[in-house]
């Protein structure tokens, strides 16, 4: 059981470049999430997907798009990267039963220059 | 909406000493409560969770937490800290009807030999 996997682990982009962060889970969860983590800011929710075929904005969605490709996979796309998007990105999947605890991937460290 | 406060940004303890990390929440009914640990460069790992029943919850790595409704608290404890416990600890609260938790800003645990 791999749990939640993310690729890549590290990425450096130039301003204006695009990229997609990949996430997959093997726990058969319906809900999946994308967070960013910045020093002193804790975890902030970017987008989430309650089930296959649905996505919703979180706290900080601007500059991002998501795709729920199937039940296992949930990708995050930066269309035109900005230095403000330098961060560590975490994908998580959530248990479908109370208390709906989340399970996190190892993260992607993104630097935009 | 629910909220969560971790009053201590940093906590320093000596190896072998006991530990208590504080977490206070704001929510009208009984919340779902979680503690996560994040080692440097890693994702968040679930330590323990509470949503009903016994208010003293046992978790992994020798940690426990106690839900105190009267104090709106869910403090994390360990009787004897090991150097490997040095990490960032996050408390999270979820409300009934919402499966998306709110995370605290985190407490950084430093362990002195």
């Amino acid at each position: 059981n791999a749990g939640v996997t993310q690729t890549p682990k590290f990425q450096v982009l130039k301003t204006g470049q695009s990229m997609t962060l990949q996430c997959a889970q093997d726990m058969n969860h319906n809900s999946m999430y994308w967070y960013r983590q910045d020093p002193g800011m804790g975890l902030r929710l970017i987008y989430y997907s309650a089930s296959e075929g649905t996505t919703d904005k979180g706290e900080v969605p601007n500059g991002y798009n998501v795709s729920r490709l199937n039940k296992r996979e949930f990708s995050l796309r930066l269309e035109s990267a900005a230095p403000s998007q330098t961060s560590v990105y975490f994908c998580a999947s959530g248990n479908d039963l109370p208390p709906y605890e989340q399970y996190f991937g190892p993260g992607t460290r993104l630097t935009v220059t | 909406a629910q909220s969560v406060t971790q009053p201590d940004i940093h906590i320093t303890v000596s190896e072998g000493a006991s530990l208590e990390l504080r977490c206070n929440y704001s929510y009208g009914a009984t919340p779902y409560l979680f503690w996560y640990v994040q080692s440097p460069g890693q994702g968040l790992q679930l330590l323990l969770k509470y949503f009903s029943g016994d208010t003293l919850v046992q978790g992994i790595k020798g940690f426990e937490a106690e839900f105190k409704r009267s104090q709106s608290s869910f403090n994390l404890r360990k009787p004897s800290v090991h150097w490997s416990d040095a990490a960032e600890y996050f408390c999270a609260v979820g409300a009934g009807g919402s499966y998306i938790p709110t995370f605290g800003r985190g407490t950084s645990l430093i362990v002195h030999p």
Side-chain angles (χ1 to χ4, degrees), chain A residues 33 35 37 40 43 45 48 50 90 98-102 104-106, chain B residues 32 34 36 38 41-44 46 49 51 90 99-101 103 105:
Chain A
Y33 309 81
Y35 291 90
Q37 185 179 38
L43 284 171
L45 183 64
Y48 65 99
F90 289 101
Y100 310 111
E101 72 275 14
Q102 295 183 340
F104 286 81
Chain B
Y32 305 136
F34 314 92
Y36 288 85
Q38 184 182 30
Q42 305 294 315
L44 278 72
L46 182 67
K49 59 188 177 184
F51 67 104
F90 292 92
Y99 50 86
I100 303 175
F103 286 83
R105 294 287 182 95

Side-chain angles (χ1 to χ4, degrees), chain A residues 36-56:
Chain A
R36 60 178 290 173
Q37 185 179 38
D38 303 290
M41 302 293 290
L43 284 171
R44 291 185 290 172
L45 183 64
I46 304 171
Y47 270 94
Y48 65 99
S49 171
S51 61
E52 185 179 352
T54 69
T55 61
D56 285 288

Side-chain angles (χ1 to χ4, degrees), chain B:
Chain B
Q2 68 269 25
S3 66
V4 59
T5 302
Q6 294 180 248
D8 303 304
I9 297 175
H10 303 283
I11 290 278
T12 301
V13 299
S14 297
E15 192 170 15
S18 62
L19 171 70
E20 183 169 27
L21 301 182
R22 295 183 292 164
C23 174
N24 295 100
Y25 68 89
S26 174
Y27 180 62
T30 300
Y32 305 136
L33 296 162
F34 314 92
W35 275 100
Y36 288 85
V37 61
Q38 184 182 30
S39 298
Q42 305 294 315
L44 278 72
Q45 181 183 19
L46 182 67
L47 280 175
L48 45 80
K49 59 188 177 184
Y50 171 82
F51 67 104
S52 68
D54 193 343
T55 57
L56 185 62
V57 181
Q58 302 297 320
I60 62 171
K61 302 177 187 277
F63 285 92
E64 66 178 26
E66 186 171 12
F67 169 55
K68 292 186 177 180
R69 185 190 305 276
S70 61
Q71 298 176 19
S72 298
S73 69
F74 189 56
N75 293 350
L76 182 71
R77 301 195 294 249
K78 188 169 184 178
S80 178
V81 171
H82 188 262
W83 64 266
S84 60
D85 292 324
E88 190 88 13
Y89 290 80
F90 292 92
C91 181
V93 58
S98 169
Y99 50 86
I100 303 175
T102 298
F103 286 83
R105 294 287 182 95
T107 297
S108 178
L109 176 63
I110 300 163
V111 180
H112 281 312

